[in-house]
Amino acid sequence: MKINVVESVLKANDAVARENRRRMDAAGVLAINIMSAPGSGKTALLEKTIPALKPEQLCAVLVGDLQTTRDAERLEGNAASITQINTGRGCHLSATQVAEGLDSLDLKGIDFLFIENVGNMVCPAAVDLGEHLRAVLLSVPEGDDKVAKYPTLFQPASVILLTKVDLLGLLDYERDKVYEDVSRVNTSAPLIELSPKTGQGMDRWLAWLQEQRRQRAIEQNAS
Amino acid sequence: MKINVVESVLKANDAVARENRRRMDAAGVLAINIMSAPGSGKTALLEKTIPALKPEQLCAVLVGDLQTTRDAERLEGNAASITQINTGRGCHLSATQVAEGLDSLDLKGIDFLFIENVGNMVCPAAVDLGEHLRAVLLSVPEGDDKVAKYPTLFQPASVILLTKVDLLGLLDYERDKVYEDVSRVNTSAPLIELSPKTGQGMDRWLAWLQEQRRQRAIEQNAS
């Protein structure tokens, strides 16, 4: 009973997700679902990414949080548009919440839509929001064992970002373990080491984003 | 429909949780549900706590994880008994999983049962496992905004542990914000700053545990 209901909820979600993707494709927007544990640096990454893409590329952001508008406030001023979605007790964003978020945006002229999911390494992984790509963050202080412990998050990642690498020398951390665990669950996603604080690795992340847009444009022209 | 099903699942869970509590009360075991984001240091805390309580007090541990037995392996040798519960895609432990864990333990002679929940700041908060107390961890590198963003986790906490305080000088972190946010959501739980790595604050945490056992014994004798 429980499983059937959960499955039908996910099916309904997936239909909305497909419609979200169609809307964004029609507007030429590339949507990236950003997922990680709480405090891995999703907002810090966007604080540095959005200004770096300007003025060539315009970004919009949907931010999911249980409570508060703190992340949205941190991002104000740089993105073309920011919409905060409070999920209450909800442990992830849903496609319907993203659809409502899209209603609040003027998608014209937007190149990237960043969807900052609720900080959670489990539940968001199962829920399609209509994104094109998934960026999964893992911060150094969380420990070098997290890829093996949360494979369902890392398996479908389009890119894996190892954040807060400026702390590597200060912590007992075996970076090789992370690469080894990633190679077991996901052989296609690049792993980018970065620190929005020092700027390390940001060029590689920005180049990856640009490359995804280029590929997307080629695919859309071909179809 | 969805809500009704979720409610009835939670009701069934609560009945099992009550039975778990009854079993542990009968055996004189004090059970502590340990919750936090992934990588806040739940296992590191237990690695230092369990040996420090010996030989006066014996501990058993139930460890919840999606995959792997790494946490259980880290704790081997010190606890009287360790049971790993793999939840697969499950985002929290359930009372039934804990009941099965209890079946695997000999509760006689056990003073503390530590239940290390799945690393997740959202879902575990809603689920009673039959524990007597909740210890909620928050590590410094996660940022000083997490109490406000995840109030449902911190509201029912019996104690709040600010971990990895050895990193305080290295990060932009406003400790006062945490105290302020805690005072808004939970006025009864002590906030203990600690670092299992350096030992800072461990005496206060151990004293808190001992005090809870003393109070529990008085309550049980009175009833």
Side-chain angles (χ1 to χ4, degrees):
Chain A
M1 178 62 177
K2 183 193 167 193
I3 290 166
N4 288 341
V5 173
V6 171
E7 272 178 5
S8 80
V9 169
L10 276 180
K11 247 188 205 167
N13 178 84
D14 288 353
V16 180
R18 277 192 298 274
E19 174 59 17
N20 289 346
R21 197 149 27 229
R22 195 202 55 71
R23 279 171 80 178
M24 293 190 282
D25 281 341
V29 174
L30 187 69
I32 298 159
N33 187 352
I34 303 185
M35 294 183 277
S36 77
S40 302
K42 295 183 288 302
T43 312
L45 177 72
L46 292 178
E47 280 179 314
K48 295 294 170 82
T49 301
I50 296 167
L53 290 168
K54 281 208 292 195
E56 289 78 14
Q57 259 113 23
L58 265 187
C59 303
V61 187
L62 298 179
V63 189
D65 264 313
L66 272 66
Q67 307 269 340
T68 82
T69 55
R70 294 188 185 189
D71 288 351
E73 285 158 23
R74 283 172 61 187
L75 295 171
E76 253 176 10
N78 277 312
S81 168
I82 299 162
T83 300
Q84 177 85 46
I85 302 168
N86 279 140
T87 61
R89 289 170 184 267
C91 48
H92 58 80
L93 286 174
S94 69
T96 301
Q97 285 165 334
V98 169
E100 289 165 5
L102 291 178
D103 291 341
S104 77
L105 295 174
D106 182 6
L107 291 179
K108 241 182 291 173
I110 299 295
D111 298 287
F112 291 101
L113 173 70
F114 294 109
I115 307 170
E116 186 182 329
N117 221 313
V118 175
N120 182 336
M121 292 186 94
V122 190
C123 315
V127 184
D128 185 7
L129 303 179
E131 73 271 16
H132 300 101
L133 298 162
R134 291 183 168 199
V136 175
L137 275 66
L138 172 67
S139 75
V140 167
E142 287 166 50
D144 50 28
D145 58 350
K146 294 300 170 291
V147 175
K149 291 174 78 174
Y150 298 88
T152 51
L153 181 67
F154 292 94
Q155 261 154 13
S158 315
V159 63
I160 298 169
L161 305 175
L162 184 63
T163 61
K164 306 193 190 182
V165 289
D166 51 297
L167 297 175
L168 268 175
L170 304 167
L171 303 166
D172 301 325
Y173 196 87
E174 292 184 43
R175 205 178 346 187
D176 292 351
K177 270 209 226 168
V178 178
Y179 281 90
E180 204 182 303
D181 289 339
V182 166
S183 74
R184 282 203 197 95
V185 300
N186 187 328
T187 52
S188 62
L191 198 163
I192 301 176
E193 300 184 16
L194 55 73
S195 165
K197 196 173 164 183
T198 66
Q200 188 190 332
M202 286 297 291
D203 50 346
R204 225 185 127 195
W205 158 243
L206 294 167
W208 182 86
L209 285 172
Q210 301 288 9
E211 180 56 29
Q212 302 311 308
R213 258 199 80 73
R214 255 191 304 275
Q215 285 183 17
R216 194 86 201 152
I218 294 167
E219 283 167 28
Q220 286 206 303
N221 285 337
S223 67
Chain B
M1 178 61 177
K2 183 193 167 193
I3 290 166
N4 288 341
V5 173
V6 171
E7 272 177 5
S8 79
V9 169
L10 277 180
K11 247 190 207 167
N13 178 84
D14 288 353
V16 179
R18 278 192 297 275
E19 173 60 17
N20 289 346
R21 197 149 30 230
R22 196 203 54 73
R23 279 172 80 179
M24 292 190 281
D25 282 340
V29 174
L30 187 69
I32 298 158
N33 186 353
I34 303 185
M35 293 184 278
S36 77
S40 301
K42 295 183 289 301
T43 312
L45 177 71
L46 291 179
E47 280 180 312
K48 295 293 169 82
T49 301
I50 295 168
L53 290 168
K54 282 209 291 194
E56 288 78 13
Q57 260 112 24
L58 265 187
C59 302
V61 186
L62 299 178
V63 189
D65 265 312
L66 271 67
Q67 307 269 342
T68 82
T69 55
R70 293 189 186 188
D71 288 353
E73 286 158 24
R74 283 172 62 187
L75 295 170
E76 254 176 10
N78 277 312
S81 170
I82 299 162
T83 300
Q84 176 84 48
I85 302 168
N86 279 140
T87 60
R89 288 168 184 270
C91 49
H92 58 80
L93 285 173
S94 70
T96 301
Q97 285 165 333
V98 169
E100 289 165 3
L102 291 178
D103 292 341
S104 75
L105 295 175
D106 182 7
L107 291 179
K108 242 182 291 173
I110 299 296
D111 298 286
F112 291 102
L113 175 70
F114 295 108
I115 307 171
E116 186 182 329
N117 220 314
V118 175
N120 182 336
M121 292 185 94
V122 190
C123 316
V127 184
D128 184 7
L129 303 179
E131 72 271 15
H132 299 102
L133 298 161
R134 290 182 170 201
V136 175
L137 276 66
L138 173 67
S139 74
V140 167
E142 287 165 50
D144 49 28
D145 58 351
K146 294 299 171 290
V147 175
K149 291 174 79 173
Y150 298 87
T152 51
L153 182 66
F154 292 93
Q155 261 154 12
S158 316
V159 62
I160 298 169
L161 305 175
L162 184 62
T163 61
K164 306 192 190 182
V165 288
D166 50 297
L167 297 175
L168 268 174
L170 304 167
L171 303 166
D172 302 325
Y173 196 87
E174 291 182 45
R175 206 178 345 188
D176 292 352
K177 270 209 226 169
V178 178
Y179 281 90
E180 205 182 302
D181 288 340
V182 166
S183 74
R184 283 203 195 96
V185 299
N186 187 328
T187 53
S188 62
L191 198 163
I192 301 177
E193 301 184 15
L194 56 73
S195 165
K197 195 174 166 184
T198 66
Q200 188 190 332
M202 286 297 291
D203 50 346
R204 225 184 126 197
W205 157 242
L206 293 167
W208 182 85
L209 284 172
Q210 301 288 10
E211 180 56 28
Q212 301 311 308
R213 257 198 82 72
R214 255 192 303 276
Q215 285 183 16
R216 194 84 202 153
I218 294 166
E219 283 166 29
Q220 287 206 303
N221 285 336
S223 69

